[in-house]
Structure formats: structure tokens, C-alpha cells
Amino acid sequence: MTFDKDYTGTKAFLIARVSDPSQREALPAQIIRLNDYAQKLNLDSELFSFDETAYKDDRKKFQEIVDKIAHYRGKRIAVFDKIDRFTRDSSSEVVRILKDKVREGNLELHFPSDGLIFHKNSPACDKTRLGMGMVFGEYYSAAISDNVKRRIEQKLHDGEFPGFAPIGYRNAEINGKNEIIIDTMRKPLINRAFEMRRAGVSTRNITNEMRRLGLTSNTKNPKPVAHSTICNLFKNKFYYGVMTYRDKDYPHKYQTYITKSIYDEIQRISENNCTQKIQKKTQYEFTFKGILKCAICGCSMSSYTHKGRVYLRCSNAKGKCPNNATETGILSQIEPILDGFTIDENLARAICDELNKDAIRAKELREAQKIALRAEYQKLNARKSIMYEDKLDGRITATQYDELVTKDAKRLCEIDDELVQLEQDTGAAEITTSHLLDLASRASELFKSSKPAVKNQILRLLVSNLKIQQKRLQFNLLEPFAMLSNFNDCTTWLPGLDSNQ
């Protein structure tokens, strides 16, 4: 390589990189050649070296170095040992940034081992050499990727897991081969965790017990075991002999902790506990839940219990509002209305048929929503292992991985809340003809004897636009009950209402 100009004092960014395990031993040799090149040209050099096979975050750092080169003021050159050390992706942002600076005449790219200097006025042959070098680099990178995929497929076929061992196991090198073996230090605690779960102990209590006993994560920097780790412990098929990779199950060759029957037993326990949890969350029902508004500010009126009594208060979503009342006081204003209803059997049957059709459609919609949410939940859970493999393979950085995991964890919590809400929203209770006739003949008595959830459904059937102002109830009767009601003296029931009532 001959030099047509003097580079003395020129700022040089020396960049040594390896991106494949087979090239690690070449990194020191790159550094030596780059330093020799800088001394030969009397460059004001700054060296950057990256072993991207060990530190995936170095790819982000490389982008930062490129930005530093692009924003440097003054004469500068970027020196790579070979063209394929520049990049193996001709469409990358790195290539675009540096080539733009070359076209502007503010940067030169030097490749000592290839004998190439690329600058603004480079002849066509040099431009072709650079382009061909990058093409061959891309081909080499793609070939390595194909080989890795084929190797992973072979490992899966042989019952070998191509990833990080779950807690209770550890990755080890035996006779020059990567293996996964039982973690003898953590084995007693993992067995104890399975025993506790089979006994019906909650995952939260198991987590607390495992922390007390000293169980830590099997990460590079071990920390007290997290609740999510314990939850995943009981969901992971690996412990009975099946490994999941990219949403597919494969039998593995490693020692197991439990049998398939024990795994199924634990899943049934988890499912039962989840059902009980939902039932516990939904056991409190209120008569005016979801149907009562504040007439002052328009916000919802919330129900709560205190010393055995039910109270109503404004949710204050738009600011502090003093509106409040007792449930008993509001119910006393509704019950007299029910005494005025009369209805024949044919009309009752027609009303019930229509209402129950709506209830069935609403139930079908809720079931479809629950199926969709559960499918999304399973998909997000399965994506965890895929994202982890992407991080290991360098397709995403550790920072991107953390962001994606946090985002998915948040969505999983949202799905859990939505499922609970759908379980709470049981829809309209089925109204039979006899029930409706009973409602007409002894509406007040039936209403008083019903549970809060049934009262809520009756009110949804009878009235709309329920509001409270100064402890007085305002509402509209729905058809056909408005026609059936005997309004001999409305003002007795609803004093002070406006003309719309």
C-alpha cells in the first residue's frame, strides 16, 4: 500500500472487532496490526476493540463510536483491519453514516490488510472492491447463521437444550462438550418447592420460604429468588423431561426432578387456586354497582361497606365532590315504585325471551374475549424464551431484552385484570317468565329478598340514568315498565324532580 499524502497528526479511530467465537483469537493480532499502521503513518490514534461474541452491548457501543467519528471536527480516518471488519450488512445505519462522511470529503476509510483506502475521489475499482468485500462479508455472516440454525436443530433432535439452564440445573462443560446437569447445591430446595406446591401451598408463601432457606437465582450475579421464578418453576416442562424451544416441545436427555403425572397434578392445583382467587376477588357485590352516577359532577358513585352497612359516595374523578348517601336510603326511594306494576303472562314471556337473547349474546361475547385474552397470555409467556434466545444470539441487545420483558410483564398484569373484570361481569341474570310475573305481582317483596347481584340486574331491567343529588334518587323507567307502572302520585315517590321525569 502506497500513500499519496502525509497523514501526520491526523486523528485516527482504530477499530478492532470480532463477532464470531471462532475469531476471538484473532482480536489481539488485529490490535497489533492497527497500532503498527498508526505508528507507520504518525497518526493521532485512538483504539477501540470489541469482542461482540462475549458482550452483546458492544454493538451498541460500536454505534456510539461511529457517531463520535461522524461528529469529530477536523481531519480524520477510520481504520479497520479488513473490509469485513467494517460491516457485514451493506444496508446498516453504520455504513450509511460513514459513507455519507466519505462523500462529503470529511472522512477516509482505511483497510490495511486489504490494501485499500476509500475516500471521496476513489476510483471505480476501489469502490467495487469495497462493495464486493461487504457482499462477501454478508454472505459469510449468513452462512454462519445458517450453520448455527442447523446446529441448534441437531441439538434439539439429540435431546440437547441450546439455551441457559433453568433454576435447579446448571450449564457445565464435560469432556469438552456443553452439558446441563443437576445443580446439587439448589437441588434440595427445588425438591422442597415441588413438595410444598403439591401440598397446596401458595406460590407467594413458597417464595418466602425459599428465600428464608437461601435459594438464589442461577444468574451471573445471584439474587434471592423472585416470585416470578417460582411461578415459572411450576410451569416449566423441563423438570419432567420436555424442553420448549420457539413454541415447540422436544424431549430432552437430562435428569428430571418430577414425573409428568406430578407436573399435571401441580397444574391442576394452580388452576384451582386461580379460580379461587378470582372468586375471592368477585365475592363482594353491591346493588348499585356500575349503574349509579353523581348528579352533581357526572362521575360514578362507588359503593363500600363500613361496620356492616353499605354507603355510596362520588368517585371524585373530576375533583372533590361531597355527594354521598346510604344504600338503605336510596333503596327506600325505589321500592314504592315496584308496587305499581301489573303485567300479563304473554307480555312477560315476550319480554323474557328478548332479554335472555341479549344475555346469551353478551355471554358469548365475554367468552370470546376471555378466549382471546388467554391466548394472548400464553403467547406472551411463550415469547419469553424466544426473546432470551434472541438476546443470546445478538438479534437484540440486553437493554432491548429488558425493555421487552418489562413491557410484556406489564401486559400480562393487564390481561390478568381484564380476565378478573370479565369474571366479575357475569352479565344479566336469566329472567324467567314466572320470575317476571312474580316481579309484577309482588315486586317490592321480591326485590327486598333478593341478593345484591340480583337487585342490580332487576334495576338494569327496570330503570336507566340513575343519579343521586342531595341524597335523592333520579331515574327513568324503561319501556314497557313505564307503561305498566301506575303513576297515581309520582311526586310522592320522587319529590323535586325536573320536568324530564
Side-chain angles (χ1 to χ4, degrees), residues 173-379:
E173 186 173 329
I174 301 176
N175 298 325
K177 186 176 181 181
N178 294 325
E179 295 286 354
I180 294 178
I181 61 176
I182 292 287
D183 187 338
T184 55
M185 181 182 71
R186 294 182 173 87
K187 180 179 179 181
L189 300 180
I190 299 299
N191 284 331
R192 174 61 179 156
F194 280 119
E195 291 171 1
M196 293 177 69
R197 190 56 173 165
R198 292 183 68 191
V201 181
S202 70
T203 55
R204 183 67 66 182
N205 288 339
I206 294 174
T207 302
N208 293 337
E209 178 66 8
M210 292 299 105
R211 287 187 172 190
R212 187 186 70 81
L213 295 174
L215 181 61
T216 58
S217 61
N218 58 339
T219 54
K220 183 177 181 181
N221 299 311
K223 297 179 180 179
V225 66
H227 179 234
S228 60
T229 302
I230 294 299
C231 291
N232 290 332
L233 171 71
F234 301 128
K235 297 177 184 177
N236 197 338
K237 301 175 184 178
F238 197 95
Y239 295 94
Y240 77 81
V242 174
M243 54 186 176
T244 303
Y245 186 81
R246 299 195 184 282
D247 294 332
K248 293 184 179 180
D249 290 342
Y250 306 86
H252 68 65
K253 66 177 185 178
Y254 311 114
Q255 186 178 347
T256 60
Y257 273 89
I258 57 175
T259 63
K260 176 65 163 59
S261 61
I262 292 177
Y263 174 84
D264 291 339
E265 177 186 347
I266 290 174
Q267 303 317 301
R268 287 192 294 271
I269 291 172
S270 298
E271 183 177 349
N272 291 336
N273 286 355
C274 181
T275 301
Q276 293 172 7
K277 179 181 177 182
I278 291 174
Q279 289 175 346
K280 183 176 181 181
K281 287 184 177 181
T282 60
Q283 66 179 337
Y284 299 107
E285 293 290 347
F286 297 102
T287 300
F288 294 101
K289 179 181 177 181
I291 60 174
L292 191 59
K293 297 286 186 179
C294 173
I296 297 175
C297 65
C299 298
S300 298
M301 295 293 292
S302 301
S303 301
Y304 68 98
T305 59
H306 181 66
K307 294 183 178 181
R309 298 187 65 184
V310 179
Y311 295 88
L312 302 164
R313 63 186 172 194
C314 180
S315 62
N316 295 321
K318 298 180 180 178
K320 191 172 183 180
C321 178
N323 204 4
N324 65 85
T326 63
E327 185 181 87
T328 303
I330 299 303
L331 285 174
S332 66
Q333 300 174 48
I334 289 181
E335 290 162 359
I337 301 295
L338 304 179
D339 294 330
F341 287 147
T342 57
I343 185 172
D344 64 54
E345 185 174 353
N346 291 332
L347 180 56
R349 186 178 296 109
I351 293 172
C352 289
D353 289 345
E354 192 61 35
L355 290 173
N356 291 332
K357 286 178 183 178
D358 290 340
I360 292 171
R361 287 192 289 268
K363 182 178 179 181
E364 291 174 348
L365 177 60
R366 287 194 302 275
E367 290 302 319
Q369 289 175 319
K370 286 191 279 188
I371 291 172
L373 287 170
R374 286 170 183 149
E376 183 182 358
Y377 194 98
Q378 293 176 355
K379 181 179 178 181

Side-chain angles (χ1 to χ4, degrees), residues 1-14 32-46 75-80 108-113 115-119:
M1 180 186 295
T2 58
F3 304 99
D4 298 329
K5 63 180 181 180
D6 184 9
Y7 289 96
T8 302
T10 300
K11 177 66 176 181
F13 297 87
L14 312 180
I32 291 173
R33 288 194 293 270
L34 291 175
N35 283 328
D36 288 346
Y37 186 78
Q39 291 177 4
K40 181 178 180 181
L41 295 183
N42 295 318
L43 299 172
D44 176 16
S45 62
E46 184 176 357
K75 296 171 59 179
R76 62 209 186 273
I77 64 175
V79 186
F80 300 85
E108 290 184 2
L109 302 178
H110 290 222
F111 307 97
S113 294
L116 175 65
I117 297 177
F118 185 71
H119 51 80

